[in-house]
Amino acid sequence: MRLDRRLSELAFGTRKEVQAMIRQGLVMVNGQTVRDPGQHTEDADSLAVRGVPVDTRRIRHVLLNKPAGILTAARDRKQPTVMDLLPQVYSTLACMPVGRLDKDTTGLLLFTSDGELNHRLLSPQRHVDKTYRATVDADLTQEDTVRFSEGLDLGDFVAESAELVLEGPRTGRVTIHEGKFHQVKRMFEAVGKQVLELDRLSFGPLTLPGDLPRGAWRELTRKEIESLYRQVGMEEPV
Ligand code: URA
């Protein structure tokens, strides 16, 4: 790929801006200053801008502790989205949310630039578990746990069996094995309760790190990445 396109894809600026940087001698390829924006580069070439090495990986995986009040969408004309909480490079590398959390839902939101991985993690056939902590407006009962485990008819679909563990009078931890629109809220509605707060604690093999504040993000560790690919029976691309 041309050097200017590569740097632009890595969010160093528009094509014009990176061309100007290259002509000014601010860019090195494999330790040599290059002044031709059209110079061909290979994936394995090392790049540096203003003497700082560039992270050239195209595939990235990010975990965000989503705060309330932010839309899960690639972009929106009026409201802030989860993409606004990440550095620009993740948008340019199409590192996209895996599924959605409602605007008022908090907690673990995964992003990946591997489209196939994203697709498989959401595929209904794969039954990737998601666990949430829900706070509701009335006391939870053992009967609710039984009804969750039996599956719930939500009108347009029947929610599969889910585990509800009571944690407090009005707090429960629920694990679902599918991911339909507003599913957890609708399941509680079906047993006569309204969800007041919903926080996702885990997604497949990933759990929300206790030391990651709301609104903060980090890239997945090597172990976490391997566990995700294993979960969906996929080889990690090199
Ligand atoms: N279920 C819901 O109802 N809302 C979410 O954000 C996630 C799961």
Side-chain angles (χ1 to χ4, degrees):
M1 184 187 288
R2 283 174 61 109
L3 179 57
D4 53 2
R5 179 161 170 218
R6 187 105 188 272
L7 285 174
S8 193
E9 277 192 5
L10 291 165
F12 280 88
T14 62
R15 269 293 185 76
K16 271 209 166 142
E17 286 164 350
V18 298
Q19 283 168 0
M21 277 170 27
I22 296 165
R23 291 202 181 96
Q24 282 169 46
L26 300 175
V27 176
M28 289 201 293
V29 178
N30 298 328
Q32 302 289 317
T33 299
V34 167
R35 289 174 191 271
D36 173 11
Q39 165 137 347
H40 177 78
T41 62
E42 298 287 338
D43 280 358
D45 289 337
S46 70
L47 307 181
V49 173
R50 296 186 172 87
V52 178
V54 172
D55 182 350
T56 55
R57 293 167 306 141
R58 282 208 182 81
I59 302 281
R60 310 278 181 102
H61 315 276
V62 165
L63 185 156
L64 169 74
N65 185 349
K66 181 188 173 296
I70 306 279
L71 279 189
T72 306
R75 68 178 71 85
D76 188 84
R77 274 197 273 144
K78 294 197 182 114
Q79 302 184 58
T81 75
V82 288
M83 298 310 295
D84 298 321
L85 300 176
L86 306 182
Q88 175 63 32
V89 66
Y90 295 104
S91 295
T92 54
L93 290 173
C95 189
M96 289 295 146
V98 180
R100 270 167 194 263
L101 290 178
D102 295 337
K103 188 173 169 185
D104 56 354
T105 300
T106 56
L108 195 165
L109 184 63
L110 172 68
F111 297 71
T112 180
S113 47
D114 185 335
E116 177 63 19
L117 176 67
N118 193 326
H119 175 75
R120 289 197 190 198
L121 285 166
L122 295 178
S123 160
Q125 281 88 47
R126 297 205 182 255
H127 302 281
V128 174
D129 288 358
K130 294 126 199 135
T131 300
Y132 299 82
R133 177 172 292 122
T135 306
V136 297
D137 68 343
D139 287 0
L140 293 163
T141 63
Q142 285 304 330
E143 194 198 326
D144 294 333
T145 65
V146 174
R147 293 197 56 202
F148 269 62
S149 72
E150 287 170 350
L152 287 162
D153 188 349
L154 301 181
D156 54 339
F157 81 99
V158 177
E160 281 173 25
S161 166
E163 290 85 58
L164 171 61
V165 177
L166 305 188
E167 288 192 332
R170 296 186 176 195
T171 306
R173 187 184 277 246
V174 56
T175 301
I176 57 173
H177 313 286
E178 50 195 343
K180 302 271 178 16
F181 192 53
H182 295 326
Q183 178 161 343
V184 175
K185 290 177 184 166
R186 293 181 64 197
M187 289 176 81
F188 278 103
E189 251 168 51
V191 297
K193 274 113 199 166
Q194 217 195 320
V195 171
L196 304 176
E197 280 176 25
L198 193 60
D199 188 36
R200 183 151 70 188
L201 307 174
S202 72
F203 181 94
L206 307 179
T207 52
L208 186 64
D211 58 355
L212 191 69
R214 286 268 187 253
W217 64 275
R218 66 158 171 76
E219 290 218 359
L220 296 195
T221 63
R222 182 101 297 281
K223 265 194 171 164
E224 287 171 332
I225 295 169
E226 286 164 7
S227 69
L228 269 187
Y229 280 98
R230 212 177 307 119
Q231 166 96 44
V232 298
M234 216 181 135
E235 289 283 320
E236 187 181 344
V238 276

